[in-house]
Amino acid sequence: MSSTRARTTTRLRPRTLLIGLLVLVAVMLLALLIGAGDLGWRRVLAEIVAQLSGGTSPLSEREAAIVWQIRLPRVVLAGLVGAALASSGAAFQGVFRNPLADPYLLGAAAGAGMAATMVVVLAPAVSDWVIGPLQLAAFAGALGGVGLSWMLGRSSGGTGTATLLLAGVAVASFLTAVQTFVQQLNTETIRQVYTWTLGGLNISSWHEVWLALPYIAASAVVLCVCARLLDVLTLGDAEASSLGVRPGRVRLLLLVAASLATAAAVSVSGLIGFVGIVVPHLVRMLAGASYRVIIPMSLIGGAAFLVVADHVARTIMPGELPLGVVTAFAGAPFFVLVLRTAKVRSL
């Protein structure tokens, strides 16, 4: 009975939101307390309390800098990137009415990655503006990748899940090939580009947080406001039009917002896959199938998921593991499970 109630939930319940926020705060606090540098979690906790209450800090100036200038911006950036990828994945699934759609599979991440690589290789002197060339290039590349996947899928004459996924794979493969060609033009940047394409937050500061925050915040607002319209689109275009909704305009707005979030995330973290599939599906299973639940809870769940994944990446072994590898270990089996479930339901 509880599972049936979860599927029919159409509004975000305060209890669900509170639980999600508490989990997010807990994992962020854990990631802040425990790190590669052995500061002692009790001393770090005492430092946090001291900063909040105006007390005496138990840490030296150098140790306090590790907490506030290294760990905290990385934790915040991981939360922002995870929220962006998860919410954009949920939006893509709603727009395409495809439970397997996500930024990585539909070419948005590959397009943003290719464009960002072109900036790194051809214009290494990136501006420090909030709207810098790296973010603008990644945004244009993400839109181009999704647009190419959409047009290729439509022009092939197919309308099913397999057609769209194959189009996304083809576009992503082509854009990755272009990215590889561009990075070969300047071999001095190969290591930087290779590290970036594996995904990671090892070079994180408040600068990256402030670069990504405006884009992700604006996208999150649009996606949350349009969540009810996504529910209407699931009824079909004819039904949506009869209710006064313009499906074409809604899809375009959602694609722009989701691509903007993906571009901002990719530009500061590199390519990190599977977040946009794992988190929305977990939200559907645990909280409900309405996008008025899925979108906001994907923002929270995606932030918590990537904070945990990044914490594992930087603590599981002496040398830091690429974040994209960690999410692939977690996401690939889940993706197979989703594929098997979708196949069973189609029989």
Side-chain angles (χ1 to χ4, degrees):
M1 182 178 296
S2 60
S3 60
T4 303
R5 192 184 305 119
R7 293 191 199 101
T8 57
T9 299
T10 58
R11 292 185 179 182
L12 181 58
R13 297 177 178 177
R15 179 182 176 183
T16 303
L17 179 61
L18 178 61
I19 292 174
L21 290 174
L22 288 176
V23 171
L24 176 58
V25 171
V27 298
M28 293 183 72
L29 182 61
L30 177 65
L32 189 60
L33 294 178
I34 303 174
D38 187 15
L39 302 179
W41 68 268
R42 290 184 178 85
R43 298 176 66 228
V44 176
L45 184 59
E47 161 68 15
I48 297 174
V49 173
Q51 290 294 329
L52 294 176
S53 63
T56 303
S57 171
L59 301 181
S60 66
E61 184 176 346
R62 175 180 173 276
E63 291 173 331
I66 291 176
V67 174
W68 302 111
Q69 301 302 324
I70 297 178
R71 287 188 187 178
L72 183 58
R74 179 163 181 164
V75 170
V76 173
L77 190 62
L80 286 174
V81 171
L85 294 177
S87 60
S88 61
F92 281 130
Q93 290 162 21
V95 167
F96 291 105
R97 285 183 287 183
N98 184 333
L100 300 179
D102 90 324
Y104 197 83
L105 291 177
L106 291 179
M114 180 207 68
T117 298
M118 294 181 70
V119 171
V120 171
V121 174
L122 303 177
V126 177
S127 170
D128 289 333
W129 301 344
V130 172
I131 305 179
L134 183 64
Q135 284 70 38
L136 289 176
F139 178 46
L143 282 179
V146 175
L148 284 174
S149 297
W150 180 302
M151 288 188 294
L152 182 60
R154 288 173 62 91
S155 64
S156 66
T159 58
T161 297
T163 301
L164 180 60
L165 290 180
L166 288 174
V169 169
V171 169
S173 299
F174 173 75
L175 295 177
T176 301
V178 174
Q179 176 183 342
T180 302
F181 171 77
V182 171
Q183 74 184 37
Q184 293 296 324
L185 297 178
N186 186 353
T187 56
E188 295 179 0
T189 63
I190 287 181
R191 182 179 179 85
Q192 177 185 357
V193 172
Y194 179 71
T195 302
W196 184 80
T197 54
L198 288 177
L201 300 169
N202 53 314
I203 304 177
S204 302
S205 66
W206 289 113
H207 175 69
E208 282 73 26
V209 171
W210 295 121
L211 281 177
L213 180 60
Y215 303 99
I216 295 175
S219 300
V221 170
V222 173
L223 295 179
C224 288
V225 170
C226 294
R228 184 185 64 82
L229 299 179
L230 267 177
D231 284 336
V232 176
L233 290 181
T234 61
L235 302 175
D237 287 2
E239 184 69 21
S241 298
S242 68
L243 295 174
V245 175
R246 298 185 177 182
R249 291 189 179 183
V250 172
R251 287 195 177 95
L252 179 60
L253 177 61
L254 289 167
L255 280 176
V256 170
S259 298
L260 178 60
T262 301
V266 170
S267 67
V268 295
S269 68
L271 303 180
I272 300 174
F274 295 103
V275 180
I277 287 182
V278 172
V279 175
H281 277 281
L282 286 176
V283 171
R284 283 188 184 91
M285 291 164 49
L286 298 175
S290 169
Y291 282 97
R292 281 182 281 183
V293 177
I294 294 173
I295 294 295
M297 291 307 297
S298 290
L299 285 165
I300 298 172
F305 176 80
L306 207 63
V307 168
V308 172
D310 182 58
H311 185 66
V312 171
R314 61 187 172 93
T315 59
I316 194 172
M317 55 189 300
E320 185 171 321
L321 196 64
L323 181 53
V325 174
V326 176
T327 60
F329 272 124
F334 190 88
F335 182 69
V336 173
L337 178 62
V338 171
L339 277 175
R340 290 178 63 87
T341 303
K343 181 179 179 180
V344 170
R345 289 178 179 175
S346 65
L347 293 178

